[in-house]
Amino acid sequence: MLPDLLDGLVADPFAVLNAVGLVAFALVGATKAIREEFDLFGVTVVGLGTAFAGGATRDILVGRVPLALQSFGEISLGLLGVALAIALSVTFDDADEHPVAVASDAAGLAAFATAGAIVATDVGVSGFGVVAIAVINACGGGAFADILLDRSPFILVEDFYASCTVLGGLTYWLVDVGAFAGVVGSAAGTAAACCAAVTIGARFVGVYFGWRLPTAQSLAVHTSRGER
Amino acid sequence: MLPDLLDGLVADPFAVLNAVGLVAFALVGATKAIREEFDLFGVTVVGLGTAFAGGATRDILVGRVPLALQSFGEISLGLLGVALAIALSVTFDDADEHPVAVASDAAGLAAFATAGAIVATDVGVSGFGVVAIAVINACGGGAFADILLDRSPFILVEDFYASCTVLGGLTYWLVDVGAFAGVVGSAAGTAAACCAAVTIGARFVGVYFGWRLPTAQSLAVHTSRGER
Amino acid sequence: MLPDLLDGLVADPFAVLNAVGLVAFALVGATKAIREEFDLFGVTVVGLGTAFAGGATRDILVGRVPLALQSFGEISLGLLGVALAIALSVTFDDADEHPVAVASDAAGLAAFATAGAIVATDVGVSGFGVVAIAVINACGGGAFADILLDRSPFILVEDFYASCTVLGGLTYWLVDVGAFAGVVGSAAGTAAACCAAVTIGARFVGVYFGWRLPTAQSLAVHTSRGER
């Protein structure tokens, strides 16, 4: 199975990142819902919502019928993630914090941010729009799940997670309109590869070093210390 | 009045189910907001949101301007439900739990799930899309209201409610693409009738027997008991 | 700078109201997020969400790609509001309650309600639709921010805030389809001016007198007192 995965990764790296990400996102979301003792319908909705609500929001923003409603393949991967979460919940309390889940989630983050940047560029929004849609595509599902779980989206409060997709989206836009913009075909492919690499790289580095963004309060403390 | 209603039910059963459902959904939502001491604007928004947010989300997903913004008739029924909730709140604490409200709500659940399945089929989404849009059309308004009330959508946690619309949507899709698919005209009508009947039937049976879906925890207990 | 602002206000009053409102809305939202100790990404998202989510929802409802994703100018004003909130948070605990912030917020409320009514009328929705889209355009961002902050939207519970935009939207619709409807060109301009004036006027009067809408409970108390 591993050799197959590696072969696939070489042939179409994005399809593999995307598939791994869908399973991981659904598993992470479903595990959170299991922890809150949601029923099986609730666990499925939160799991699929985590995997697909970001992409659906992207599609709504650019005026398309969400892709997730049009194909069985992607939904099957989401349902696989939900089923895995339910099966693993018997043995693990925190299947979503297992290193394999965290790494697969990072793969999804990169795939979804890149997909968002590509769609946004196709529609012709501004540079801000490209970054915003990359972030929404990658992080919107998790934020939607947290709202269903009656809490503030964790991406707004802690961790170095959404910031990776900001960096990724920005990279895509800079490469696509920047130095390589004359050579459109190659620029889009290069921009996608750079976006994915920056997003997943930033995520791994952030997890490794336990990075988190400062709050305004911590900035104020640093400022007043600086003034002394 | 009752004979009129019965005459209407024979002439156009869906219009009657839909009208009864809009009043009931608005009453249920407004009653929840009254219980949380929202002001009259808040009570109206939560009531109308319960009745119309599911259909509006369906319309946004398929790329249409929400019907509720285009006609006065449906909104009037929603406002009637809100006014009823305010009037009844003087005498009843739990107007939304009265058997008449529960039965009318089930009528709405069936009408909205069927409307969702019809619209989804017209747009040409997958079988998953048909079920998802039926569920969103029927349950999205209540979920939106619960988010406004700062709680997790109750359909994710308790009761046998959204599951009825999953069964209804699945029935619609099976009948529409299944055995009767050669005879399109009749199939759509048959599918709609089956969807509504399954949804309302499942809801009544579920309420009568106090059904609720299991959680992953309860599955795990059953599994480990089975293993002993 | 003040003379420039006054010159601009005479030349294009709506552009000025809109610009002031975007900065104020972003400042108010970001200040709320700072108070909850969100990180800088969260503060930015809640600030920009307060300023732009209402307009984005309006655009989604009428089937357009949100304007905020298409231009840098408006986003820059939002980012200015976020930066101001962070800078002011060192000295002020409640920058969003300063009279300048409250007055600028009222300017935004008027500009956004009017923009919503204009777009809604262009699309050809019902009178209810015009009022609903005016309210959503003006108040949807604040409601979205409150959901991100894990609370019920304050407009549903307290204050005389959304009600001002109901009055403004109703005024727009009455003037546009009413007495002046024969003279379309002038009617739209007149309707916009009346909508903005009624919204901002109602807001100032409401703040001055500390108005708030009654709850169903307080109505019931009045009713039963009247009956005695």
Side-chain angles (χ1 to χ4, degrees), chain B:
Chain B
M1 194 198 152
L2 196 63
D4 284 5
L5 201 71
L6 290 175
D7 279 4
L9 196 56
V10 173
D12 186 350
F14 278 105
V16 177
L17 284 181
N18 190 58
V20 170
L22 286 173
V23 177
F25 272 45
L27 180 144
V28 168
T31 302
K32 286 191 202 174
I34 290 170
R35 211 176 283 136
E36 299 291 325
E37 306 200 9
F38 277 29
D39 68 24
L40 291 188
F41 177 77
V43 169
T44 307
V45 167
V46 176
L48 295 183
T50 306
F52 296 105
T57 307
R58 174 204 65 200
D59 287 334
I60 288 171
L61 287 171
V62 304
R64 303 198 312 202
V65 176
L67 283 181
L69 298 174
Q70 299 183 55
S71 76
F72 267 119
E74 297 221 321
I75 291 295
S76 308
L77 290 168
L79 291 172
L80 173 62
V82 171
L84 267 176
I86 295 171
L88 291 174
S89 71
V90 181
T91 4
F92 291 100
D93 272 345
D94 301 303
D96 55 340
E97 292 172 13
H98 191 280
V100 174
V102 172
S104 305
D105 186 89
L109 201 66
F112 299 168
T114 308
I118 292 172
V119 170
T121 308
D122 282 353
V123 178
V125 295
S126 68
F128 172 81
V130 171
V131 175
I133 293 181
V135 173
I136 288 169
N137 198 149
C139 306
F144 176 69
D146 283 338
I147 289 171
L148 293 180
L149 292 158
D150 194 23
R151 52 178 84 154
S152 284
F154 80 95
I155 54 163
L156 305 179
V157 185
E158 59 187 39
D159 218 336
F160 191 77
Y161 189 91
S163 308
C164 308
T165 63
V166 173
L167 295 176
L170 206 56
T171 303
Y172 187 97
W173 181 72
L174 288 173
V175 174
D176 191 54
V177 305
F180 299 90
V183 206
V184 177
S186 75
T190 311
C194 293
C195 171
V198 167
T199 305
I200 204 166
R203 179 65 184 144
F204 280 137
V205 173
V207 168
Y208 186 78
F209 289 106
W211 281 354
R212 47 186 305 170
L213 286 185
T215 60
Q217 283 81 355
S218 68
L219 283 187
V221 170
H222 288 300
T223 310
S224 58
R225 270 189 198 152
E227 280 167 356
R228 256 186 279 164

Side-chain angles (χ1 to χ4, degrees), chain A:
Chain A
M1 191 195 155
L2 196 64
D4 284 4
L5 200 72
L6 290 175
D7 278 3
L9 197 55
V10 173
D12 186 350
F14 278 105
V16 177
L17 283 180
N18 190 57
V20 169
L22 286 174
V23 177
F25 272 45
L27 181 143
V28 168
T31 302
K32 286 192 203 175
I34 291 170
R35 209 175 284 137
E36 298 292 325
E37 306 202 8
F38 279 28
D39 68 25
L40 290 187
F41 177 77
V43 168
T44 308
V45 168
V46 177
L48 296 183
T50 306
F52 297 105
T57 306
R58 173 204 66 200
D59 287 334
I60 289 171
L61 286 171
V62 304
R64 304 196 314 199
V65 176
L67 283 180
L69 298 175
Q70 300 183 54
S71 77
F72 267 118
E74 298 221 321
I75 291 296
S76 308
L77 290 168
L79 291 172
L80 174 62
V82 171
L84 268 177
I86 295 170
L88 292 174
S89 71
V90 180
T91 5
F92 291 101
D93 273 345
D94 300 304
D96 55 340
E97 291 172 14
H98 191 279
V100 174
V102 172
S104 306
D105 186 89
L109 202 67
F112 299 168
T114 308
I118 292 172
V119 171
T121 307
D122 282 352
V123 177
V125 296
S126 69
F128 172 81
V130 171
V131 175
I133 292 181
V135 173
I136 288 168
N137 198 151
C139 306
F144 176 69
D146 283 338
I147 290 171
L148 293 179
L149 293 158
D150 193 23
R151 52 178 84 153
S152 284
F154 79 94
I155 53 163
L156 305 179
V157 186
E158 59 187 40
D159 219 335
F160 190 77
Y161 190 90
S163 309
C164 307
T165 64
V166 173
L167 295 175
L170 206 57
T171 303
Y172 187 97
W173 181 71
L174 288 173
V175 174
D176 191 54
V177 305
F180 300 89
V183 205
V184 178
S186 75
T190 312
C194 293
C195 171
V198 166
T199 305
I200 204 167
R203 179 66 185 143
F204 281 137
V205 173
V207 168
Y208 186 79
F209 289 106
W211 281 353
R212 47 185 306 169
L213 286 185
T215 60
Q217 284 80 355
S218 68
L219 282 187
V221 170
H222 287 299
T223 310
S224 57
R225 270 190 198 148
E227 279 168 357
R228 255 186 281 162

Side-chain angles (χ1 to χ4, degrees), chain C residues 9 15 55 75 95 99 102 109 112 114-115 135 137 140 167 174 179 187 197 199 210-211 214:
Chain C
L9 197 55
I75 290 296
V102 173
L109 202 66
F112 299 169
T114 308
V135 173
N137 199 149
L167 295 176
L174 288 172
T199 305
W211 280 355

